[in-house]
């Protein structure tokens, strides 16, 4: 739906100084709208037929913008900075719903040039990404997304705007990377933090003292490290924010 596409592009706030990364461009409906406003669009498409067709679609429908498009035939879950020409500043995409969260987190990890993301995902996934600590739906996606920046729900998208009509509702999520990161963003540190997050949510009903026993080596050691990070050992993972997990990952073993 053209109106929905325009709304997504407007909500993304991209302009003439942006190089936009689009994942899963498909037939190019969002690509064409992005080319109207951005300096350049890098489209990552895993399907060779669609990747081969997209430049032709742009040449036919928006010939004046054809040179602004670069198509990268690649799996977005495996792409690295070396696979992407230039430094994309914004991710704007209708992400493949079955891998939306892994793709989103992978791209923020691999591409430090990304300042912002506006993505369409399944509605329930959008809710989880933007959930606050203490919510029933707050979990691993919520914490890991907040590791990179501020996350907020940016609207809903009805089924009727798609063809064919899907069986699920969709939602928009915006992530703005921290302009002045409150903690280190290097890969080694991120992996340490994400390991703690995964362990804390592996058994949601357990207290952090019990859930992190394997990670720390014992329940007693888990409690020591939790107290060192100023976290109540009887708390559960869904009650603490990304900053607390960062503190916990930084405690001495």
């Amino acid at each position: 739906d053209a109106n929905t596409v325009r709304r997504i592009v407007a909500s993304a706030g991209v302009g003439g100084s942006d190089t936009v990364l689009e994942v899963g461009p498909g037939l190019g409906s969002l690509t064409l709208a992005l080319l109207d406003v951005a300096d350049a669009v890098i489209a990552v498409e895993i399907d060779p037929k669609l990747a081969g067709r997209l430049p032709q679609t742009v040449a036919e429908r928006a010939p004046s913008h054809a040179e602004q498009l670069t198509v990268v035939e690649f799996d977005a879950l495996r792409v690295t900075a070396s696979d992407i020409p230039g430094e994309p500043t914004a991710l704007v995409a209708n992400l493949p719903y079955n891998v939306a969260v892994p793709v989103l987190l992978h791209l923020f990890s691999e591409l430090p040039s990304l300042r912002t993301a506006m993505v369409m995902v399944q509605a329930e996934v959008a809710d989880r990404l933007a959930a606050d600590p203490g919510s029933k739906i707050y979990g691993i996606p919520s914490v890991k997304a907040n590791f990179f920046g501020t996350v907020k729900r940016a609207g809903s998208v009805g089924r009727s705007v798609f063809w064919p009509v899907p069986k699920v509702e969709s939602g928009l999520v915006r992530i703005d990377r921290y302009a002045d990161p409150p903690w280190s963003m290097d890969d080694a540190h991120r992996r340490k933090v994400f390991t703690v997050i995964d362990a804390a949510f592996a058994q949601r009903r357990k207290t952090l003292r019990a859930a992190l026993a394997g990670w720390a080596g014992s329940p007693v050691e888990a409690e020591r490290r939790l107290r060192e990070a100023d976290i109540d050992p009887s708390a559960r993972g869904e009650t603490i924010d990304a900053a607390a997990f960062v503190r916990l990952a930084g405690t001495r073993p």
Side-chain angles (χ1 to χ4, degrees):
D1 175 71
N3 289 329
T4 302
V5 168
R6 284 192 288 269
R7 178 160 67 95
I8 293 171
V9 174
S11 298
V14 295
S17 62
D18 285 300
T19 296
V20 177
L21 181 68
E22 184 187 5
V23 172
L27 299 176
S29 55
L30 180 58
T31 312
L32 291 167
L34 288 169
L35 287 168
D36 274 340
V37 298
D39 178 61
V41 174
I42 303 168
V44 178
E45 175 57 66
I46 192 172
D47 187 306
K49 290 184 179 179
L50 292 172
R53 172 65 191 178
L54 188 58
Q56 185 179 340
T57 299
V58 172
E60 292 170 355
R61 295 178 176 268
S64 62
H65 296 307
E67 292 187 359
Q68 296 166 236
L69 173 69
T70 302
V71 179
V72 177
E73 186 183 323
F74 219 97
D75 181 352
L77 277 172
R78 299 176 182 274
V79 74
T80 66
S82 62
D83 301 312
I84 302 294
E87 296 187 338
T89 55
L91 169 66
V92 184
N94 175 14
L95 292 177
Y97 285 8
N98 59 326
V99 291
V101 171
V103 166
L104 186 60
L105 297 175
H106 174 71
L107 292 175
F108 264 96
S109 302
E110 289 290 331
L111 302 171
S113 61
L114 285 179
R115 294 183 291 100
T116 186
M118 172 65 69
V119 295
M120 182 159 58
V121 295
Q122 190 171 333
E124 291 82 357
V125 174
D127 291 338
R128 286 198 288 272
L129 283 166
D132 293 322
S135 165
K136 290 182 179 180
I137 58 174
Y138 180 79
I140 290 175
S142 325
V143 190
K144 289 184 177 180
N146 272 278
F147 175 85
F148 295 107
T150 58
V151 187
K152 65 179 181 180
R153 215 33 168 91
S156 300
V157 181
R159 303 180 190 186
S160 62
V161 304
F162 295 95
W163 180 87
V165 177
K167 295 181 179 180
V168 298
E169 298 292 334
S170 302
L172 297 173
V173 174
R174 180 176 178 125
I175 302 177
D176 290 298
R177 193 188 288 268
Y178 300 120
D180 186 15
W183 41 72
S184 169
M185 289 288 175
D186 74 65
D187 193 57
H189 181 246
R190 178 189 60 79
R191 290 179 184 275
K192 285 178 62 177
V193 176
F194 281 17
T195 296
V196 183
I197 295 169
D198 290 337
F201 284 95
Q203 302 175 73
R204 289 183 69 104
R205 295 185 179 181
K206 289 192 173 183
T207 65
L208 286 170
R209 183 183 190 275
L212 295 175
W215 166 75
S218 70
V220 172
E221 182 63 11
E223 179 169 345
R224 181 192 68 76
R225 296 184 69 168
L226 284 160
R227 293 193 183 282
E228 183 181 326
D230 197 26
I231 300 170
D232 181 355
S234 66
R236 287 176 169 77
E238 62 263 30
T239 65
I240 66 173
D241 61 12
F245 279 106
V246 171
R247 294 198 307 274
L248 183 57
T251 55
R252 52 189 174 82

